[in-house]
Amino acid sequence: MISTSKPLRIVIKIGSSSLTSRHGEISRRKIEKLANEIVYLKDLGHEVVLVSSGAVAAGYRRLGCLERPKTLPEKQAAASIGQGLLMESYSELFLSNGYVAAQILITKSDFLEEDRYRNVRNTINVLLERGIVPIVNENDTVTIDRLNFGDNDTLSAKVAGLIDADYLVILSDIDGLFNEDPTKSTNAKLLEYVTEITPEIESAAVGSGSLLGTGGMRSKIEAVKIAMASGITTFLGNAARKNIVIDGVLGKAKGTYFKSKKPSAYTNHKEKWIAFNS
Protein backbone atom coordinates (compact mmCIF):
# COMPACT_ATOMS: atom_id res chain seq x y z
CA MET A 1 0.00 0.00 0.00
CA ILE A 2 1.24 3.50 -0.82
CA SER A 3 0.33 6.85 0.60
CA THR A 4 -2.33 8.79 -1.27
CA SER A 5 -1.85 12.00 0.74
CA LYS A 6 0.01 13.51 -2.23
CA PRO A 7 -0.83 13.49 -5.94
CA LEU A 8 0.32 10.27 -7.55
CA ARG A 9 1.37 9.47 -11.08
CA ILE A 10 -0.45 6.27 -12.01
CA VAL A 11 -0.22 4.10 -15.13
CA ILE A 12 -3.16 1.78 -15.75
CA LYS A 13 -3.00 -1.04 -18.27
CA ILE A 14 -6.13 -2.88 -19.40
CA GLY A 15 -6.24 -5.89 -21.70
CA SER A 16 -8.46 -6.63 -24.68
CA SER A 17 -10.54 -9.26 -22.92
CA SER A 18 -11.43 -6.71 -20.23
CA LEU A 19 -12.75 -4.17 -22.74
CA THR A 20 -14.71 -6.22 -25.25
CA SER A 21 -17.68 -8.55 -25.25
CA ARG A 22 -17.24 -12.26 -25.85
CA HIS A 23 -18.16 -11.57 -29.48
CA GLY A 24 -15.25 -9.16 -29.87
CA GLU A 25 -17.18 -5.91 -29.94
CA ILE A 26 -16.37 -2.98 -27.67
CA SER A 27 -18.30 -3.20 -24.41
CA ARG A 28 -19.58 0.25 -23.57
CA ARG A 29 -20.30 -0.88 -20.03
CA LYS A 30 -16.72 -2.03 -19.44
CA ILE A 31 -15.16 1.11 -20.88
CA GLU A 32 -17.52 3.32 -18.90
CA LYS A 33 -16.64 1.48 -15.68
CA LEU A 34 -12.93 2.06 -16.28
CA ALA A 35 -13.40 5.70 -17.27
CA ASN A 36 -15.45 6.42 -14.13
CA GLU A 37 -12.69 5.03 -11.90
CA ILE A 38 -10.06 7.10 -13.70
CA VAL A 39 -12.24 10.22 -13.36
CA TYR A 40 -12.50 9.54 -9.62
CA LEU A 41 -8.70 9.47 -9.34
CA LYS A 42 -8.37 12.59 -11.49
CA ASP A 43 -10.87 14.44 -9.32
CA LEU A 44 -8.63 13.65 -6.33
CA GLY A 45 -5.73 15.33 -8.10
CA HIS A 46 -3.84 12.28 -9.35
CA GLU A 47 -2.23 12.03 -12.79
CA VAL A 48 -3.30 9.01 -14.84
CA VAL A 49 -1.93 7.44 -18.01
CA LEU A 50 -4.03 4.69 -19.58
CA VAL A 51 -2.36 1.98 -21.64
CA SER A 52 -5.28 0.41 -23.47
CA SER A 53 -5.36 -2.73 -25.57
CA GLY A 54 -8.40 -3.65 -27.64
CA ALA A 55 -7.85 -2.11 -31.08
CA VAL A 56 -7.68 -5.39 -33.01
CA ALA A 57 -10.41 -7.01 -30.92
CA ALA A 58 -12.68 -4.01 -31.39
CA GLY A 59 -12.13 -3.68 -35.12
CA TYR A 60 -11.98 -7.14 -36.63
CA ARG A 61 -15.74 -7.63 -36.96
CA ARG A 62 -16.10 -4.24 -38.63
CA LEU A 63 -13.45 -5.50 -41.06
CA GLY A 64 -15.77 -8.37 -41.96
CA CYS A 65 -13.89 -11.12 -40.09
CA LEU A 66 -15.88 -13.69 -38.12
CA GLU A 67 -12.98 -14.40 -35.77
CA ARG A 68 -9.82 -12.64 -34.65
CA PRO A 69 -7.47 -12.28 -37.67
CA LYS A 70 -4.35 -14.43 -37.82
CA THR A 71 -2.41 -12.71 -40.61
CA LEU A 72 -0.44 -9.53 -39.93
CA PRO A 73 -2.12 -7.41 -42.67
CA GLU A 74 -5.59 -8.31 -41.36
CA LYS A 75 -4.55 -7.57 -37.77
CA GLN A 76 -3.20 -4.18 -38.82
CA ALA A 77 -6.32 -3.38 -40.81
CA ALA A 78 -8.52 -4.36 -37.87
CA ALA A 79 -6.42 -2.22 -35.54
CA SER A 80 -6.83 0.80 -37.81
CA ILE A 81 -10.61 0.48 -37.41
CA GLY A 82 -10.68 -0.49 -33.77
CA GLN A 83 -8.30 2.20 -32.52
CA GLY A 84 -10.66 4.89 -33.75
CA LEU A 85 -13.60 3.19 -32.06
CA LEU A 86 -11.72 2.98 -28.77
CA MET A 87 -10.65 6.62 -28.81
CA GLU A 88 -14.13 7.76 -29.74
CA SER A 89 -15.55 6.02 -26.67
CA TYR A 90 -12.80 7.20 -24.32
CA SER A 91 -12.91 10.79 -25.56
CA GLU A 92 -16.66 11.02 -25.16
CA LEU A 93 -16.64 9.56 -21.65
CA PHE A 94 -13.78 11.68 -20.34
CA LEU A 95 -15.06 14.88 -21.95
CA SER A 96 -18.46 14.41 -20.33
CA ASN A 97 -16.61 14.52 -17.00
CA GLY A 98 -14.53 17.57 -17.86
CA TYR A 99 -11.31 15.86 -18.99
CA VAL A 100 -9.63 15.73 -22.38
CA ALA A 101 -8.18 12.45 -23.69
CA ALA A 102 -5.09 12.32 -25.90
CA GLN A 103 -4.00 9.45 -28.12
CA ILE A 104 -0.36 8.30 -28.19
CA LEU A 105 0.54 5.42 -30.50
CA ILE A 106 4.00 3.97 -29.84
CA THR A 107 6.25 1.49 -31.60
CA LYS A 108 9.28 -0.25 -30.16
CA SER A 109 11.46 1.97 -32.34
CA ASP A 110 10.34 4.95 -30.28
CA PHE A 111 12.02 3.37 -27.25
CA LEU A 112 15.10 2.03 -29.06
CA GLU A 113 16.25 5.51 -30.14
CA GLU A 114 17.15 7.79 -27.24
CA ASP A 115 15.93 11.02 -28.87
CA ARG A 116 12.53 9.53 -29.65
CA TYR A 117 12.38 8.01 -26.16
CA ARG A 118 12.96 11.47 -24.71
CA ASN A 119 10.34 13.01 -27.00
CA VAL A 120 7.69 10.52 -25.85
CA ARG A 121 8.49 11.34 -22.21
CA ASN A 122 8.29 15.09 -22.86
CA THR A 123 4.96 14.77 -24.65
CA ILE A 124 3.36 12.70 -21.89
CA ASN A 125 4.70 15.05 -19.21
CA VAL A 126 3.15 18.08 -20.92
CA LEU A 127 -0.21 16.31 -21.24
CA LEU A 128 -0.18 15.31 -17.56
CA GLU A 129 0.78 18.80 -16.45
CA ARG A 130 -2.24 20.14 -18.36
CA GLY A 131 -4.61 17.67 -16.69
CA ILE A 132 -5.14 15.58 -19.83
CA VAL A 133 -5.51 11.78 -19.87
CA PRO A 134 -2.94 10.24 -22.25
CA ILE A 135 -4.19 6.99 -23.77
CA VAL A 136 -1.31 4.88 -25.02
CA ASN A 137 -1.33 1.86 -27.30
CA GLU A 138 1.16 0.14 -29.54
CA ASN A 139 0.78 1.33 -33.11
CA ASP A 140 -0.44 -2.05 -34.37
CA THR A 141 -1.32 -0.61 -37.77
CA VAL A 142 2.32 -0.14 -38.82
CA THR A 143 4.45 -2.20 -36.44
CA ILE A 144 6.13 -5.43 -37.57
CA ASP A 145 6.79 -8.60 -35.60
CA ARG A 146 10.49 -8.04 -35.00
CA LEU A 147 9.91 -4.47 -33.83
CA ASN A 148 6.87 -4.77 -31.58
CA PHE A 149 6.44 -5.04 -27.84
CA GLY A 150 4.31 -8.15 -28.28
CA ASP A 151 1.89 -7.12 -25.55
CA ASN A 152 0.82 -3.99 -23.71
CA ASP A 153 1.94 -5.40 -20.36
CA THR A 154 5.55 -4.73 -21.33
CA LEU A 155 4.63 -1.41 -22.90
CA SER A 156 2.86 -0.25 -19.73
CA ALA A 157 5.87 -1.09 -17.55
CA LYS A 158 8.20 0.80 -19.86
CA VAL A 159 5.86 3.79 -19.95
CA ALA A 160 5.68 3.73 -16.15
CA GLY A 161 9.46 3.81 -15.94
CA LEU A 162 9.67 6.44 -18.66
CA ILE A 163 7.54 8.97 -16.74
CA ASP A 164 8.67 8.03 -13.20
CA ALA A 165 5.25 6.69 -12.22
CA ASP A 166 4.48 5.96 -8.59
CA TYR A 167 2.14 3.09 -9.35
CA LEU A 168 1.39 0.63 -12.13
CA VAL A 169 -2.02 -1.08 -12.22
CA ILE A 170 -2.33 -4.04 -14.60
CA LEU A 171 -5.93 -5.10 -15.18
CA SER A 172 -6.87 -8.41 -16.74
CA ASP A 173 -9.55 -11.11 -16.55
CA ILE A 174 -7.83 -12.83 -13.61
CA ASP A 175 -7.61 -11.99 -9.91
CA GLY A 176 -3.83 -11.95 -9.71
CA LEU A 177 -0.86 -14.30 -9.54
CA PHE A 178 -1.54 -17.79 -8.17
CA ASN A 179 0.95 -20.40 -7.01
CA GLU A 180 -0.48 -22.73 -9.65
CA ASP A 181 -3.00 -22.60 -12.48
CA PRO A 182 -6.40 -21.85 -10.86
CA THR A 183 -8.24 -23.22 -13.90
CA LYS A 184 -6.67 -26.62 -13.33
CA SER A 185 -6.33 -26.85 -9.55
CA THR A 186 -8.87 -26.13 -6.82
CA ASN A 187 -5.94 -25.76 -4.40
CA ALA A 188 -4.47 -22.79 -6.24
CA LYS A 189 -3.66 -19.97 -3.82
CA LEU A 190 -3.60 -16.27 -4.63
CA LEU A 191 -0.24 -14.66 -3.88
CA GLU A 192 -1.24 -11.35 -2.34
CA TYR A 193 2.21 -9.79 -1.77
CA VAL A 194 5.37 -10.41 -3.79
CA THR A 195 8.69 -8.71 -3.03
CA GLU A 196 10.90 -10.66 -5.41
CA ILE A 197 10.37 -12.49 -8.69
CA THR A 198 11.91 -15.87 -7.94
CA PRO A 199 12.23 -18.88 -10.27
CA GLU A 200 9.26 -20.36 -8.38
CA ILE A 201 7.19 -17.25 -9.13
CA GLU A 202 8.08 -17.41 -12.81
CA SER A 203 7.23 -21.10 -13.02
CA ALA A 204 3.83 -20.34 -11.46
CA ALA A 205 3.01 -17.89 -14.25
CA VAL A 206 0.44 -19.42 -16.57
CA GLY A 207 -1.36 -18.26 -19.71
CA SER A 208 -4.44 -16.09 -19.65
CA GLY A 209 -6.70 -18.44 -21.55
CA SER A 210 -8.43 -15.53 -23.26
CA LEU A 211 -8.94 -15.64 -27.01
CA LEU A 212 -9.00 -11.85 -27.25
CA GLY A 213 -5.82 -11.00 -25.36
CA THR A 214 -2.19 -11.35 -26.43
CA GLY A 215 -0.45 -11.14 -23.07
CA GLY A 216 -0.73 -14.03 -20.62
CA MET A 217 0.62 -14.22 -17.07
CA ARG A 218 4.20 -14.67 -18.23
CA SER A 219 4.14 -11.33 -20.03
CA LYS A 220 2.72 -9.72 -16.91
CA ILE A 221 5.54 -11.11 -14.80
CA GLU A 222 8.06 -9.73 -17.28
CA ALA A 223 6.36 -6.34 -17.02
CA VAL A 224 6.39 -6.52 -13.22
CA LYS A 225 10.14 -7.23 -13.28
CA ILE A 226 10.71 -4.02 -15.25
CA ALA A 227 8.49 -2.01 -12.91
CA MET A 228 10.08 -3.42 -9.75
CA ALA A 229 13.56 -2.71 -11.09
CA SER A 230 12.43 0.89 -11.63
CA GLY A 231 11.15 1.14 -8.05
CA ILE A 232 7.48 1.17 -9.08
CA THR A 233 4.82 -0.57 -7.02
CA THR A 234 2.60 -2.77 -9.21
CA PHE A 235 -0.86 -4.17 -8.66
CA LEU A 236 -2.39 -6.99 -10.72
CA GLY A 237 -6.13 -7.50 -10.48
CA ASN A 238 -9.38 -8.39 -12.20
CA ALA A 239 -10.88 -5.55 -14.24
CA ALA A 240 -14.40 -6.86 -13.63
CA ARG A 241 -14.29 -6.22 -9.89
CA LYS A 242 -16.01 -3.11 -8.56
CA ASN A 243 -13.67 -0.13 -7.95
CA ILE A 244 -10.67 -2.32 -8.75
CA VAL A 245 -8.44 0.60 -9.79
CA ILE A 246 -9.33 2.80 -6.83
CA ASP A 247 -9.06 0.00 -4.28
CA GLY A 248 -5.89 -1.26 -5.94
CA VAL A 249 -4.18 2.10 -5.47
CA LEU A 250 -5.41 2.21 -1.87
CA GLY A 251 -3.95 -1.23 -1.26
CA LYS A 252 -7.22 -2.90 -0.32
CA ALA A 253 -8.29 -4.70 -3.49
CA LYS A 254 -8.21 -8.43 -4.12
CA GLY A 255 -5.19 -9.15 -6.27
CA THR A 256 -1.41 -9.31 -6.17
CA TYR A 257 0.81 -6.45 -5.05
CA PHE A 258 4.42 -6.37 -6.21
CA LYS A 259 6.90 -4.16 -4.40
CA SER A 260 10.64 -4.73 -4.27
CA LYS A 261 12.44 -4.35 -0.96
CA LYS A 262 15.45 -3.04 -2.86
CA PRO A 263 15.62 0.56 -4.12
CA SER A 264 15.84 1.09 -7.85
CA ALA A 265 19.35 0.69 -9.24
CA TYR A 266 18.68 3.38 -11.84
CA THR A 267 19.06 7.02 -10.83
CA ASN A 268 18.20 8.73 -14.12
CA HIS A 269 16.42 8.23 -17.45
CA LYS A 270 19.67 7.55 -19.30
CA GLU A 271 20.34 4.52 -17.11
CA LYS A 272 16.76 3.27 -17.53
CA TRP A 273 16.95 3.66 -21.28
CA ILE A 274 20.20 1.71 -21.46
CA ALA A 275 18.89 -1.03 -19.14
CA PHE A 276 15.50 -1.65 -20.75
CA ASN A 277 15.56 -0.32 -24.29
CA SER A 278 18.94 0.32 -25.89
Side-chain angles (χ1 to χ4, degrees), residues 37-100:
E37 294 193 50
I38 292 175
V39 166
Y40 182 89
L41 294 174
K42 292 285 294 176
D43 287 346
L44 291 178
H46 302 304
E47 297 176 330
V48 180
V49 175
L50 174 61
V51 178
S52 177
S53 301
V56 175
Y60 76 82
R61 285 188 176 273
R62 298 284 184 98
L63 185 64
C65 299
L66 296 179
E67 58 184 22
R68 188 182 177 93
K70 294 180 174 59
T71 67
L72 182 59
E74 285 183 324
K75 289 179 181 178
Q76 292 176 324
S80 70
I81 298 171
Q83 187 62 36
L85 296 173
L86 280 175
M87 282 306 303
E88 181 181 10
S89 297
Y90 282 131
S91 295
E92 179 186 334
L93 288 167
F94 284 124
L95 196 58
S96 67
N97 286 280
Y99 294 107
V100 174

Side-chain angles (χ1 to χ4, degrees), residues 193-266:
Y193 299 98
V194 175
T195 58
E196 181 184 5
I197 303 300
T198 63
E200 292 75 21
I201 292 289
E202 295 198 68
S203 65
V206 294
S208 146
S210 170
L211 295 176
L212 294 173
T214 57
M217 183 56 72
R218 287 186 178 84
S219 73
K220 291 170 177 56
I221 292 301
E222 290 303 312
V224 167
K225 288 165 67 175
I226 294 171
M228 291 178 76
S230 301
I232 300 169
T233 300
T234 304
F235 170 73
L236 171 61
N238 192 327
R241 290 190 175 276
K242 183 179 180 181
N243 296 329
I244 188 67
V245 175
I246 299 166
D247 289 344
V249 172
L250 291 175
K252 61 181 185 180
K254 180 177 181 179
T256 304
Y257 295 85
F258 301 86
K259 183 175 177 60
S260 176
K261 292 181 178 179
K262 301 176 182 178
S264 173
Y266 311 109

Side-chain angles (χ1 to χ4, degrees), residues 260-274:
S260 176
K261 292 181 178 179
K262 301 176 182 178
S264 173
Y266 311 109
T267 59
N268 56 56
H269 289 102
K270 179 78 171 183
E271 292 179 354
K272 287 182 185 178
W273 176 74
I274 293 172

